[in-house]
Amino acid sequence: MIFKRNKRRAALAVQTVPKEKQDMSALGFLGFEAQCRAERELYDRLREGVPVIDAAICKLVRLIGRFRIEAGNAAAQRAADEFCREVKFNGSSFGLVNFIYDYLDSLLTYGTAVGEMIPDACGEGIAALYQASLDDVEIRADKTPLDLVVCAGTAGKSEPAKYQSLILASLLKPKPGTVRGTSLLSGLPFVCGILEKILASLKHNWERAGDVRFVVTCNPQNGVFGEDDARKIADEWREAVRSDRVCDFVSVGDVSVKVIGAESEMPECETPVRVVLEQILGKLGIPPFLLGLSWSSTERMSTQQADILTSELEYYRAILDPVIRRIVRMHLRLLGLESSFRIVWNDINLQDTVELAQARLHNAQAEKIEQEIGVEYIDE
């Protein structure tokens, strides 16, 4: 089966690309800065080391909601519904929505996501979807920076994939002049390093002060104190503080017992931890109450935070729309169905639906009052 790229209007040369980069077009691609494996490993470590980051990304993916395809005719509608429900991806999962969730997870974590459409062996639509590991592929600019090429293989030996029309690639807020997406976690390594230091010091302090250690001082009455006597007192004290039973410590002479570190106070960590978490959540764009953080906030503030989150989710949906459209269009064309369709996302939550209905009601009431006032003014 031969796949050909869709005919598109040819674009003129980009004038703002430096000449040395244009000269590289003779090699078949333009050289642009790309993301390295070490950076992706850093982002993975952030998600593993700071649970609130992993929880925030998982919630953003789930809050993006579900969608459905509305086709222009009945045959295309049946094919689209069956495909969205039954398509296989990554060998063990099914459903176009689930593929989009994993695709968005990679896009948010690394700033880049790459997928592939696997056609049916008989040419009857798309049989499966595959999300590629970013360590196995490389994104380059083609002869013009307006076109991206996905290459497969090891570093330095990768070659462009043969059927680029079957490859899906998305970049999140790419830096100008590069093919490098910006991860949602960019800028957080320094802040997360502070949080890890605070938690590590808290761990060490509790290991020292939480597990109480004692110093036992014995001043004998006769002034004679041998090594055997010290060993006996130590054994008796060790027996007295055993956790499996309660017993008394009896000694002769002036014996004093003190707790090591009892004079010093545990450093307060709630305020610095909250300051750091505020920076992290501010970068991720998710309200604290969605992560179970009961920080003091008014009801109006929570509503405003929910509105801001809604706009963030709409932005991510706009990035995913072209990916979904390419997949569904390719499937319908392979089935020989030429039909227009549109992507309909579900409302993000019920509260948004209620607020929109109330807004429409208030607008209708205001319009009615304005019309009544206008009629009364004309009659007068």
Side-chain angles (χ1 to χ4, degrees), residues 331-356:
H331 179 70
L332 294 179
R333 285 181 176 177
L334 290 177
L335 292 176
L337 299 173
E338 289 291 341
S339 173
S340 60
F341 63 89
R342 66 190 186 103
I343 304 169
V344 180
W345 289 89
N346 294 346
D347 294 327
I348 293 177
N349 55 38
L350 183 60
Q351 182 178 359
D352 291 341
T353 306
V354 174
E355 290 180 354
L356 289 175

mmCIF file with all atom_site columns, all heavy atoms in Angstrom, residues 331-356:
data_model
loop_
_atom_site.group_PDB
_atom_site.id
_atom_site.type_symbol
_atom_site.label_atom_id
_atom_site.label_alt_id
_atom_site.label_comp_id
_atom_site.label_asym_id
_atom_site.label_entity_id
_atom_site.label_seq_id
_atom_site.pdbx_PDB_ins_code
_atom_site.Cartn_x
_atom_site.Cartn_y
_atom_site.Cartn_z
_atom_site.occupancy
_atom_site.B_iso_or_equiv
_atom_site.pdbx_formal_charge
_atom_site.auth_seq_id
_atom_site.auth_comp_id
_atom_site.auth_asym_id
_atom_site.auth_atom_id
_atom_site.pdbx_PDB_model_num
ATOM 1   N N   . HIS A 1 331 ? -8.507  7.611  8.840  1.00 0.00 ? 331 HIS A N   1
ATOM 2   C CA  . HIS A 1 331 ? -9.301  6.382  8.940  1.00 0.00 ? 331 HIS A CA  1
ATOM 3   C C   . HIS A 1 331 ? -10.458 6.398  7.954  1.00 0.00 ? 331 HIS A C   1
ATOM 4   O O   . HIS A 1 331 ? -10.711 5.391  7.254  1.00 0.00 ? 331 HIS A O   1
ATOM 5   C CB  . HIS A 1 331 ? -9.820  6.237  10.364 1.00 0.00 ? 331 HIS A CB  1
ATOM 6   C CG  . HIS A 1 331 ? -10.681 5.027  10.584 1.00 0.00 ? 331 HIS A CG  1
ATOM 7   N ND1 . HIS A 1 331 ? -10.191 3.738  10.570 1.00 0.00 ? 331 HIS A ND1 1
ATOM 8   C CD2 . HIS A 1 331 ? -12.031 4.913  10.799 1.00 0.00 ? 331 HIS A CD2 1
ATOM 9   C CE1 . HIS A 1 331 ? -11.163 2.885  10.779 1.00 0.00 ? 331 HIS A CE1 1
ATOM 10  N NE2 . HIS A 1 331 ? -12.290 3.567  10.918 1.00 0.00 ? 331 HIS A NE2 1
ATOM 11  N N   . LEU A 1 332 ? -11.162 7.502  7.858  1.00 0.00 ? 332 LEU A N   1
ATOM 12  C CA  . LEU A 1 332 ? -12.308 7.574  6.948  1.00 0.00 ? 332 LEU A CA  1
ATOM 13  C C   . LEU A 1 332 ? -11.860 7.483  5.496  1.00 0.00 ? 332 LEU A C   1
ATOM 14  O O   . LEU A 1 332 ? -12.517 6.837  4.667  1.00 0.00 ? 332 LEU A O   1
ATOM 15  C CB  . LEU A 1 332 ? -13.085 8.870  7.194  1.00 0.00 ? 332 LEU A CB  1
ATOM 16  C CG  . LEU A 1 332 ? -13.786 8.995  8.555  1.00 0.00 ? 332 LEU A CG  1
ATOM 17  C CD1 . LEU A 1 332 ? -14.496 10.331 8.667  1.00 0.00 ? 332 LEU A CD1 1
ATOM 18  C CD2 . LEU A 1 332 ? -14.761 7.843  8.786  1.00 0.00 ? 332 LEU A CD2 1
ATOM 19  N N   . ARG A 1 333 ? -10.739 8.090  5.160  1.00 0.00 ? 333 ARG A N   1
ATOM 20  C CA  . ARG A 1 333 ? -10.270 8.040  3.773  1.00 0.00 ? 333 ARG A CA  1
ATOM 21  C C   . ARG A 1 333 ? -9.838  6.637  3.378  1.00 0.00 ? 333 ARG A C   1
ATOM 22  O O   . ARG A 1 333 ? -10.053 6.201  2.249  1.00 0.00 ? 333 ARG A O   1
ATOM 23  C CB  . ARG A 1 333 ? -9.124  9.025  3.587  1.00 0.00 ? 333 ARG A CB  1
ATOM 24  C CG  . ARG A 1 333 ? -9.582  10.483 3.536  1.00 0.00 ? 333 ARG A CG  1
ATOM 25  C CD  . ARG A 1 333 ? -8.425  11.425 3.329  1.00 0.00 ? 333 ARG A CD  1
ATOM 26  N NE  . ARG A 1 333 ? -8.903  12.803 3.183  1.00 0.00 ? 333 ARG A NE  1
ATOM 27  C CZ  . ARG A 1 333 ? -8.099  13.859 3.037  1.00 0.00 ? 333 ARG A CZ  1
ATOM 28  N NH1 . ARG A 1 333 ? -6.791  13.686 3.020  1.00 0.00 ? 333 ARG A NH1 1
ATOM 29  N NH2 . ARG A 1 333 ? -8.606  15.060 2.912  1.00 0.00 ? 333 ARG A NH2 1
ATOM 30  N N   . LEU A 1 334 ? -9.202  5.919  4.301  1.00 0.00 ? 334 LEU A N   1
ATOM 31  C CA  . LEU A 1 334 ? -8.811  4.547  3.992  1.00 0.00 ? 334 LEU A CA  1
ATOM 32  C C   . LEU A 1 334 ? -10.027 3.649  3.809  1.00 0.00 ? 334 LEU A C   1
ATOM 33  O O   . LEU A 1 334 ? -9.952  2.623  3.125  1.00 0.00 ? 334 LEU A O   1
ATOM 34  C CB  . LEU A 1 334 ? -7.911  3.996  5.094  1.00 0.00 ? 334 LEU A CB  1
ATOM 35  C CG  . LEU A 1 334 ? -6.503  4.592  5.178  1.00 0.00 ? 334 LEU A CG  1
ATOM 36  C CD1 . LEU A 1 334 ? -5.733  4.010  6.355  1.00 0.00 ? 334 LEU A CD1 1
ATOM 37  C CD2 . LEU A 1 334 ? -5.743  4.362  3.882  1.00 0.00 ? 334 LEU A CD2 1
ATOM 38  N N   . LEU A 1 335 ? -11.138 4.032  4.426  1.00 0.00 ? 335 LEU A N   1
ATOM 39  C CA  . LEU A 1 335 ? -12.384 3.286  4.231  1.00 0.00 ? 335 LEU A CA  1
ATOM 40  C C   . LEU A 1 335 ? -13.152 3.746  3.004  1.00 0.00 ? 335 LEU A C   1
ATOM 41  O O   . LEU A 1 335 ? -14.223 3.205  2.692  1.00 0.00 ? 335 LEU A O   1
ATOM 42  C CB  . LEU A 1 335 ? -13.275 3.424  5.468  1.00 0.00 ? 335 LEU A CB  1
ATOM 43  C CG  . LEU A 1 335 ? -12.779 2.756  6.752  1.00 0.00 ? 335 LEU A CG  1
ATOM 44  C CD1 . LEU A 1 335 ? -13.712 3.065  7.914  1.00 0.00 ? 335 LEU A CD1 1
ATOM 45  C CD2 . LEU A 1 335 ? -12.654 1.245  6.572  1.00 0.00 ? 335 LEU A CD2 1
ATOM 46  N N   . GLY A 1 336 ? -12.628 4.765  2.318  1.00 0.00 ? 336 GLY A N   1
ATOM 47  C CA  . GLY A 1 336 ? -13.310 5.285  1.146  1.00 0.00 ? 336 GLY A CA  1
ATOM 48  C C   . GLY A 1 336 ? -14.480 6.187  1.465  1.00 0.00 ? 336 GLY A C   1
ATOM 49  O O   . GLY A 1 336 ? -15.367 6.366  0.628  1.00 0.00 ? 336 GLY A O   1
ATOM 50  N N   . LEU A 1 337 ? -14.479 6.773  2.654  1.00 0.00 ? 337 LEU A N   1
ATOM 51  C CA  . LEU A 1 337 ? -15.573 7.649  3.075  1.00 0.00 ? 337 LEU A CA  1
ATOM 52  C C   . LEU A 1 337 ? -15.081 9.088  3.109  1.00 0.00 ? 337 LEU A C   1
ATOM 53  O O   . LEU A 1 337 ? -14.192 9.435  3.891  1.00 0.00 ? 337 LEU A O   1
ATOM 54  C CB  . LEU A 1 337 ? -16.089 7.245  4.467  1.00 0.00 ? 337 LEU A CB  1
ATOM 55  C CG  . LEU A 1 337 ? -16.656 5.833  4.587  1.00 0.00 ? 337 LEU A CG  1
ATOM 56  C CD1 . LEU A 1 337 ? -16.971 5.510  6.047  1.00 0.00 ? 337 LEU A CD1 1
ATOM 57  C CD2 . LEU A 1 337 ? -17.899 5.678  3.720  1.00 0.00 ? 337 LEU A CD2 1
ATOM 58  N N   . GLU A 1 338 ? -15.601 9.895  2.232  1.00 0.00 ? 338 GLU A N   1
ATOM 59  C CA  . GLU A 1 338 ? -15.268 11.316 2.218  1.00 0.00 ? 338 GLU A CA  1
ATOM 60  C C   . GLU A 1 338 ? -16.421 12.071 2.853  1.00 0.00 ? 338 GLU A C   1
ATOM 61  O O   . GLU A 1 338 ? -17.481 12.226 2.262  1.00 0.00 ? 338 GLU A O   1
ATOM 62  C CB  . GLU A 1 338 ? -15.018 11.799 0.788  1.00 0.00 ? 338 GLU A CB  1
ATOM 63  C CG  . GLU A 1 338 ? -13.737 11.291 0.167  1.00 0.00 ? 338 GLU A CG  1
ATOM 64  C CD  . GLU A 1 338 ? -12.500 11.893 0.824  1.00 0.00 ? 338 GLU A CD  1
ATOM 65  O OE1 . GLU A 1 338 ? -12.636 12.941 1.487  1.00 0.00 ? 338 GLU A OE1 1
ATOM 66  O OE2 . GLU A 1 338 ? -11.412 11.307 0.673  1.00 0.00 ? 338 GLU A OE2 1
ATOM 67  N N   . SER A 1 339 ? -16.225 12.505 4.068  1.00 0.00 ? 339 SER A N   1
ATOM 68  C CA  . SER A 1 339 ? -17.295 13.193 4.788  1.00 0.00 ? 339 SER A CA  1
ATOM 69  C C   . SER A 1 339 ? -16.682 14.227 5.709  1.00 0.00 ? 339 SER A C   1
ATOM 70  O O   . SER A 1 339 ? -15.609 14.004 6.292  1.00 0.00 ? 339 SER A O   1
ATOM 71  C CB  . SER A 1 339 ? -18.134 12.199 5.601  1.00 0.00 ? 339 SER A CB  1
ATOM 72  O OG  . SER A 1 339 ? -19.069 12.870 6.423  1.00 0.00 ? 339 SER A OG  1
ATOM 73  N N   . SER A 1 340 ? -17.344 15.336 5.814  1.00 0.00 ? 340 SER A N   1
ATOM 74  C CA  . SER A 1 340 ? -16.915 16.341 6.780  1.00 0.00 ? 340 SER A CA  1
ATOM 75  C C   . SER A 1 340 ? -17.317 15.891 8.189  1.00 0.00 ? 340 SER A C   1
ATOM 76  O O   . SER A 1 340 ? -18.271 15.130 8.359  1.00 0.00 ? 340 SER A O   1
ATOM 77  C CB  . SER A 1 340 ? -17.542 17.692 6.456  1.00 0.00 ? 340 SER A CB  1
ATOM 78  O OG  . SER A 1 340 ? -18.961 17.598 6.498  1.00 0.00 ? 340 SER A OG  1
ATOM 79  N N   . PHE A 1 341 ? -16.573 16.343 9.160  1.00 0.00 ? 341 PHE A N   1
ATOM 80  C CA  . PHE A 1 341 ? -16.891 15.988 10.544 1.00 0.00 ? 341 PHE A CA  1
ATOM 81  C C   . PHE A 1 341 ? -16.348 17.076 11.448 1.00 0.00 ? 341 PHE A C   1
ATOM 82  O O   . PHE A 1 341 ? -15.540 17.909 11.039 1.00 0.00 ? 341 PHE A O   1
ATOM 83  C CB  . PHE A 1 341 ? -16.295 14.624 10.916 1.00 0.00 ? 341 PHE A CB  1
ATOM 84  C CG  . PHE A 1 341 ? -14.798 14.582 10.878 1.00 0.00 ? 341 PHE A CG  1
ATOM 85  C CD1 . PHE A 1 341 ? -14.027 14.906 11.987 1.00 0.00 ? 341 PHE A CD1 1
ATOM 86  C CD2 . PHE A 1 341 ? -14.131 14.231 9.707  1.00 0.00 ? 341 PHE A CD2 1
ATOM 87  C CE1 . PHE A 1 341 ? -12.649 14.880 11.947 1.00 0.00 ? 341 PHE A CE1 1
ATOM 88  C CE2 . PHE A 1 341 ? -12.751 14.196 9.651  1.00 0.00 ? 341 PHE A CE2 1
ATOM 89  C CZ  . PHE A 1 341 ? -12.005 14.525 10.780 1.00 0.00 ? 341 PHE A CZ  1
ATOM 90  N N   . ARG A 1 342 ? -16.805 17.036 12.663 1.00 0.00 ? 342 ARG A N   1
ATOM 91  C CA  . ARG A 1 342 ? -16.310 17.983 13.652 1.00 0.00 ? 342 ARG A CA  1
ATOM 92  C C   . ARG A 1 342 ? -16.128 17.277 14.993 1.00 0.00 ? 342 ARG A C   1
ATOM 93  O O   . ARG A 1 342 ? -16.766 16.256 15.271 1.00 0.00 ? 342 ARG A O   1
ATOM 94  C CB  . ARG A 1 342 ? -17.242 19.182 13.815 1.00 0.00 ? 342 ARG A CB  1
ATOM 95  C CG  . ARG A 1 342 ? -18.602 18.878 14.397 1.00 0.00 ? 342 ARG A CG  1
ATOM 96  C CD  . ARG A 1 342 ? -19.529 20.079 14.290 1.00 0.00 ? 342 ARG A CD  1
ATOM 97  N NE  . ARG A 1 342 ? -20.807 19.863 14.977 1.00 0.00 ? 342 ARG A NE  1
ATOM 98  C CZ  . ARG A 1 342 ? -21.096 20.389 16.170 1.00 0.00 ? 342 ARG A CZ  1
ATOM 99  N NH1 . ARG A 1 342 ? -20.213 21.151 16.799 1.00 0.00 ? 342 ARG A NH1 1
ATOM 100 N NH2 . ARG A 1 342 ? -22.264 20.165 16.733 1.00 0.00 ? 342 ARG A NH2 1
ATOM 101 N N   . ILE A 1 343 ? -15.240 17.841 15.804 1.00 0.00 ? 343 ILE A N   1
ATOM 102 C CA  . ILE A 1 343 ? -14.920 17.281 17.116 1.00 0.00 ? 343 ILE A CA  1
ATOM 103 C C   . ILE A 1 343 ? -15.724 18.041 18.165 1.00 0.00 ? 343 ILE A C   1
ATOM 104 O O   . ILE A 1 343 ? -15.643 19.276 18.238 1.00 0.00 ? 343 ILE A O   1
ATOM 105 C CB  . ILE A 1 343 ? -13.412 17.390 17.415 1.00 0.00 ? 343 ILE A CB  1
ATOM 106 C CG1 . ILE A 1 343 ? -12.612 16.719 16.296 1.00 0.00 ? 343 ILE A CG1 1
ATOM 107 C CG2 . ILE A 1 343 ? -13.074 16.780 18.760 1.00 0.00 ? 343 ILE A CG2 1
ATOM 108 C CD1 . ILE A 1 343 ? -11.125 17.001 16.371 1.00 0.00 ? 343 ILE A CD1 1
ATOM 109 N N   . VAL A 1 344 ? -16.483 17.321 18.950 1.00 0.00 ? 344 VAL A N   1
ATOM 110 C CA  . VAL A 1 344 ? -17.317 17.930 19.980 1.00 0.00 ? 344 VAL A CA  1
ATOM 111 C C   . VAL A 1 344 ? -16.813 17.451 21.337 1.00 0.00 ? 344 VAL A C   1
ATOM 112 O O   . VAL A 1 344 ? -16.903 16.264 21.665 1.00 0.00 ? 344 VAL A O   1
ATOM 113 C CB  . VAL A 1 344 ? -18.805 17.564 19.796 1.00 0.00 ? 344 VAL A CB  1
ATOM 114 C CG1 . VAL A 1 344 ? -19.645 18.221 20.885 1.00 0.00 ? 344 VAL A CG1 1
ATOM 115 C CG2 . VAL A 1 344 ? -19.281 17.985 18.416 1.00 0.00 ? 344 VAL A CG2 1
ATOM 116 N N   . TRP A 1 345 ? -16.274 18.368 22.107 1.00 0.00 ? 345 TRP A N   1
ATOM 117 C CA  . TRP A 1 345 ? -15.785 18.040 23.450 1.00 0.00 ? 345 TRP A CA  1
ATOM 118 C C   . TRP A 1 345 ? -16.918 18.154 24.457 1.00 0.00 ? 345 TRP A C   1
ATOM 119 O O   . TRP A 1 345 ? -17.796 19.020 24.335 1.00 0.00 ? 345 TRP A O   1
ATOM 120 C CB  . TRP A 1 345 ? -14.670 18.994 23.859 1.00 0.00 ? 345 TRP A CB  1
ATOM 121 C CG  . TRP A 1 345 ? -13.384 18.811 23.123 1.00 0.00 ? 345 TRP A CG  1
ATOM 122 C CD1 . TRP A 1 345 ? -13.008 19.407 21.956 1.00 0.00 ? 345 TRP A CD1 1
ATOM 123 C CD2 . TRP A 1 345 ? -12.293 17.960 23.506 1.00 0.00 ? 345 TRP A CD2 1
ATOM 124 N NE1 . TRP A 1 345 ? -11.773 19.003 21.583 1.00 0.00 ? 345 TRP A NE1 1
ATOM 125 C CE2 . TRP A 1 345 ? -11.300 18.106 22.517 1.00 0.00 ? 345 TRP A CE2 1
ATOM 126 C CE3 . TRP A 1 345 ? -12.066 17.106 24.569 1.00 0.00 ? 345 TRP A CE3 1
ATOM 127 C CZ2 . TRP A 1 345 ? -10.086 17.424 22.575 1.00 0.00 ? 345 TRP A CZ2 1
ATOM 128 C CZ3 . TRP A 1 345 ? -10.861 16.417 24.628 1.00 0.00 ? 345 TRP A CZ3 1
ATOM 129 C CH2 . TRP A 1 345 ? -9.892  16.574 23.640 1.00 0.00 ? 345 TRP A CH2 1
ATOM 130 N N   . ASN A 1 346 ? -16.893 17.287 25.444 1.00 0.00 ? 346 ASN A N   1
ATOM 131 C CA  . ASN A 1 346 ? -17.867 17.396 26.532 1.00 0.00 ? 346 ASN A CA  1
ATOM 132 C C   . ASN A 1 346 ? -17.546 18.610 27.390 1.00 0.00 ? 346 ASN A C   1
ATOM 133 O O   . ASN A 1 346 ? -16.410 19.095 27.436 1.00 0.00 ? 346 ASN A O   1
ATOM 134 C CB  . ASN A 1 346 ? -17.838 16.138 27.400 1.00 0.00 ? 346 ASN A CB  1
ATOM 135 C CG  . ASN A 1 346 ? -18.316 14.911 26.648 1.00 0.00 ? 346 ASN A CG  1
ATOM 136 O OD1 . ASN A 1 346 ? -18.905 15.029 25.572 1.00 0.00 ? 346 ASN A OD1 1
ATOM 137 N ND2 . ASN A 1 346 ? -18.054 13.744 27.204 1.00 0.00 ? 346 ASN A ND2 1
ATOM 138 N N   . ASP A 1 347 ? -18.578 19.108 28.065 1.00 0.00 ? 347 ASP A N   1
ATOM 139 C CA  . ASP A 1 347 ? -18.353 20.210 28.993 1.00 0.00 ? 347 ASP A CA  1
ATOM 140 C C   . ASP A 1 347 ? -17.384 19.760 30.085 1.00 0.00 ? 347 ASP A C   1
ATOM 141 O O   . ASP A 1 347 ? -17.424 18.608 30.541 1.00 0.00 ? 347 ASP A O   1
ATOM 142 C CB  . ASP A 1 347 ? -19.667 20.667 29.630 1.00 0.00 ? 347 ASP A CB  1
ATOM 143 C CG  . ASP A 1 347 ? -20.604 21.281 28.603 1.00 0.00 ? 347 ASP A CG  1
ATOM 144 O OD1 . ASP A 1 347 ? -20.103 21.913 27.650 1.00 0.00 ? 347 ASP A OD1 1
ATOM 145 O OD2 . ASP A 1 347 ? -21.824 21.119 28.745 1.00 0.00 ? 347 ASP A OD2 1
ATOM 146 N N   . ILE A 1 348 ? -16.543 20.659 30.509 1.00 0.00 ? 348 ILE A N   1
ATOM 147 C CA  . ILE A 1 348 ? -15.501 20.303 31.467 1.00 0.00 ? 348 ILE A CA  1
ATOM 148 C C   . ILE A 1 348 ? -16.110 19.824 32.776 1.00 0.00 ? 348 ILE A C   1
ATOM 149 O O   . ILE A 1 348 ? -15.658 18.855 33.365 1.00 0.00 ? 348 ILE A O   1
ATOM 150 C CB  . ILE A 1 348 ? -14.560 21.502 31.686 1.00 0.00 ? 348 ILE A CB  1
ATOM 151 C CG1 . ILE A 1 348 ? -13.784 21.775 30.390 1.00 0.00 ? 348 ILE A CG1 1
ATOM 152 C CG2 . ILE A 1 348 ? -13.600 21.241 32.841 1.00 0.00 ? 348 ILE A CG2 1
ATOM 153 C CD1 . ILE A 1 348 ? -12.883 22.977 30.457 1.00 0.00 ? 348 ILE A CD1 1
ATOM 154 N N   . ASN A 1 349 ? -17.140 20.491 33.263 1.00 0.00 ? 349 ASN A N   1
ATOM 155 C CA  . ASN A 1 349 ? -17.853 19.995 34.437 1.00 0.00 ? 349 ASN A CA  1
ATOM 156 C C   . ASN A 1 349 ? -19.260 20.571 34.437 1.00 0.00 ? 349 ASN A C   1
ATOM 157 O O   . ASN A 1 349 ? -19.594 21.443 33.644 1.00 0.00 ? 349 ASN A O   1
ATOM 158 C CB  . ASN A 1 349 ? -17.120 20.332 35.742 1.00 0.00 ? 349 ASN A CB  1
ATOM 159 C CG  . ASN A 1 349 ? -16.848 21.816 35.878 1.00 0.00 ? 349 ASN A CG  1
ATOM 160 O OD1 . ASN A 1 349 ? -17.661 22.644 35.506 1.00 0.00 ? 349 ASN A OD1 1
ATOM 161 N ND2 . ASN A 1 349 ? -15.683 22.151 36.413 1.00 0.00 ? 349 ASN A ND2 1
ATOM 162 N N   . LEU A 1 350 ? -20.082 20.061 35.328 1.00 0.00 ? 350 LEU A N   1
ATOM 163 C CA  . LEU A 1 350 ? -21.483 20.480 35.399 1.00 0.00 ? 350 LEU A CA  1
ATOM 164 C C   . LEU A 1 350 ? -21.613 21.924 35.852 1.00 0.00 ? 350 LEU A C   1
ATOM 165 O O   . LEU A 1 350 ? -22.535 22.629 35.448 1.00 0.00 ? 350 LEU A O   1
ATOM 166 C CB  . LEU A 1 350 ? -22.252 19.551 36.348 1.00 0.00 ? 350 LEU A CB  1
ATOM 167 C CG  . LEU A 1 350 ? -23.754 19.800 36.477 1.00 0.00 ? 350 LEU A CG  1
ATOM 168 C CD1 . LEU A 1 350 ? -24.424 19.639 35.122 1.00 0.00 ? 350 LEU A CD1 1
ATOM 169 C CD2 . LEU A 1 350 ? -24.363 18.844 37.495 1.00 0.00 ? 350 LEU A CD2 1
ATOM 170 N N   . GLN A 1 351 ? -20.670 22.381 36.668 1.00 0.00 ? 351 GLN A N   1
ATOM 171 C CA  . GLN A 1 351 ? -20.748 23.755 37.165 1.00 0.00 ? 351 GLN A CA  1
ATOM 172 C C   . GLN A 1 351 ? -20.658 24.747 36.015 1.00 0.00 ? 351 GLN A C   1
ATOM 173 O O   . GLN A 1 351 ? -21.358 25.754 35.989 1.00 0.00 ? 351 GLN A O   1
ATOM 174 C CB  . GLN A 1 351 ? -19.611 24.007 38.161 1.00 0.00 ? 351 GLN A CB  1
ATOM 175 C CG  . GLN A 1 351 ? -19.634 25.406 38.770 1.00 0.00 ? 351 GLN A CG  1
ATOM 176 C CD  . GLN A 1 351 ? -18.515 25.600 39.778 1.00 0.00 ? 351 GLN A CD  1
ATOM 177 O OE1 . GLN A 1 351 ? -17.742 24.684 40.020 1.00 0.00 ? 351 GLN A OE1 1
ATOM 178 N NE2 . GLN A 1 351 ? -18.425 26.778 40.331 1.00 0.00 ? 351 GLN A NE2 1
ATOM 179 N N   . ASP A 1 352 ? -19.809 24.465 35.019 1.00 0.00 ? 352 ASP A N   1
ATOM 180 C CA  . ASP A 1 352 ? -19.711 25.346 33.868 1.00 0.00 ? 352 ASP A CA  1
ATOM 181 C C   . ASP A 1 352 ? -21.023 25.402 33.105 1.00 0.00 ? 352 ASP A C   1
ATOM 182 O O   . ASP A 1 352 ? -21.454 26.457 32.643 1.00 0.00 ? 352 ASP A O   1
ATOM 183 C CB  . ASP A 1 352 ? -18.591 24.879 32.937 1.00 0.00 ? 352 ASP A CB  1
ATOM 184 C CG  . ASP A 1 352 ? -17.217 25.069 33.557 1.00 0.00 ? 352 ASP A CG  1
ATOM 185 O OD1 . ASP A 1 352 ? -17.121 25.864 34.498 1.00 0.00 ? 352 ASP A OD1 1
ATOM 186 O OD2 . ASP A 1 352 ? -16.272 24.416 33.110 1.00 0.00 ? 352 ASP A OD2 1
ATOM 187 N N   . THR A 1 353 ? -21.691 24.257 32.961 1.00 0.00 ? 353 THR A N   1
ATOM 188 C CA  . THR A 1 353 ? -22.961 24.229 32.250 1.00 0.00 ? 353 THR A CA  1
ATOM 189 C C   . THR A 1 353 ? -24.017 25.062 32.969 1.00 0.00 ? 353 THR A C   1
ATOM 190 O O   . THR A 1 353 ? -24.762 25.826 32.347 1.00 0.00 ? 353 THR A O   1
ATOM 191 C CB  . THR A 1 353 ? -23.448 22.774 32.108 1.00 0.00 ? 353 THR A CB  1
ATOM 192 O OG1 . THR A 1 353 ? -22.425 21.998 31.494 1.00 0.00 ? 353 THR A OG1 1
ATOM 193 C CG2 . THR A 1 353 ? -24.711 22.706 31.286 1.00 0.00 ? 353 THR A CG2 1
ATOM 194 N N   . VAL A 1 354 ? -24.066 24.932 34.288 1.00 0.00 ? 354 VAL A N   1
ATOM 195 C CA  . VAL A 1 354 ? -25.038 25.710 35.064 1.00 0.00 ? 354 VAL A CA  1
ATOM 196 C C   . VAL A 1 354 ? -24.748 27.201 34.957 1.00 0.00 ? 354 VAL A C   1
ATOM 197 O O   . VAL A 1 354 ? -25.662 28.024 34.776 1.00 0.00 ? 354 VAL A O   1
ATOM 198 C CB  . VAL A 1 354 ? -25.026 25.246 36.535 1.00 0.00 ? 354 VAL A CB  1
ATOM 199 C CG1 . VAL A 1 354 ? -25.919 26.154 37.383 1.00 0.00 ? 354 VAL A CG1 1
ATOM 200 C CG2 . VAL A 1 354 ? -25.481 23.806 36.643 1.00 0.00 ? 354 VAL A CG2 1
ATOM 201 N N   . GLU A 1 355 ? -23.476 27.584 35.055 1.00 0.00 ? 355 GLU A N   1
ATOM 202 C CA  . GLU A 1 355 ? -23.131 28.997 34.991 1.00 0.00 ? 355 GLU A CA  1
ATOM 203 C C   . GLU A 1 355 ? -23.438 29.577 33.616 1.00 0.00 ? 355 GLU A C   1
ATOM 204 O O   . GLU A 1 355 ? -23.905 30.717 33.499 1.00 0.00 ? 355 GLU A O   1
ATOM 205 C CB  . GLU A 1 355 ? -21.654 29.170 35.330 1.00 0.00 ? 355 GLU A CB  1
ATOM 206 C CG  . GLU A 1 355 ? -21.330 28.893 36.798 1.00 0.00 ? 355 GLU A CG  1
ATOM 207 C CD  . GLU A 1 355 ? -19.861 29.075 37.101 1.00 0.00 ? 355 GLU A CD  1
ATOM 208 O OE1 . GLU A 1 355 ? -19.087 29.307 36.146 1.00 0.00 ? 355 GLU A OE1 1
ATOM 209 O OE2 . GLU A 1 355 ? -19.486 28.990 38.277 1.00 0.00 ? 355 GLU A OE2 1
ATOM 210 N N   . LEU A 1 356 ? -23.195 28.792 32.547 1.00 0.00 ? 356 LEU A N   1
ATOM 211 C CA  . LEU A 1 356 ? -23.527 29.278 31.211 1.00 0.00 ? 356 LEU A CA  1
ATOM 212 C C   . LEU A 1 356 ? -25.035 29.454 31.050 1.00 0.00 ? 356 LEU A C   1
ATOM 213 O O   . LEU A 1 356 ? -25.493 30.432 30.448 1.00 0.00 ? 356 LEU A O   1
ATOM 214 C CB  . LEU A 1 356 ? -22.991 28.299 30.165 1.00 0.00 ? 356 LEU A CB  1
ATOM 215 C CG  . LEU A 1 356 ? -21.474 28.248 29.990 1.00 0.00 ? 356 LEU A CG  1
ATOM 216 C CD1 . LEU A 1 356 ? -21.091 27.146 29.010 1.00 0.00 ? 356 LEU A CD1 1
ATOM 217 C CD2 . LEU A 1 356 ? -20.937 29.586 29.510 1.00 0.00 ? 356 LEU A CD2 1
#
